[in-house]
Amino acid sequence: MSNNAANLYQLIQKDPNISQTLFRQALQDPQGALKAICDLGEEVGLPVSAEDVKTYLASLDDADTKQWLIKARGGL
């Protein structure tokens, strides 16, 4: 698993606008949200693959992330 995924997750968590945008997108288009996360990683110098993101999210043990994944389960 890429350490970039952890760093990118922290960056996303710290920015409510990014978090909300990705959450809304995940509800409607989970694969698009995954692509957006990967694209954001490229933009900020933390490149990640879709598999990196999935693996990292699956490793987390916090209720907010689990709820997010349940709602976006179709693609993540």
Side-chain angles (χ1 to χ4, degrees):
M1 167 179 44
S2 167
N3 194 35
N4 286 351
N7 293 329
L8 183 58
Y9 182 78
Q10 290 175 0
L11 184 135
I12 291 168
Q13 275 193 311
K14 290 179 184 177
D15 188 322
N17 291 329
I18 293 173
S19 295
Q20 282 256 302
T21 299
L22 288 170
F23 179 74
R24 286 184 187 134
Q25 184 173 9
L27 290 174
Q28 296 176 4
D29 178 16
Q31 288 299 320
L34 188 56
K35 182 181 180 326
I37 291 168
C38 294
D39 291 347
L40 177 63
E42 287 291 329
E43 289 175 24
V44 299
L46 296 168
V48 292
S49 70
E51 284 305 312
D52 290 336
V53 173
K54 289 178 189 180
T55 301
Y56 181 72
L57 291 176
S59 76
L60 295 178
D61 188 26
D62 75 72
D64 290 339
T65 300
K66 287 184 180 181
Q67 185 65 27
W68 195 91
L69 289 173
I70 288 167
K71 290 183 178 181
R73 68 181 160 222
L76 298 176

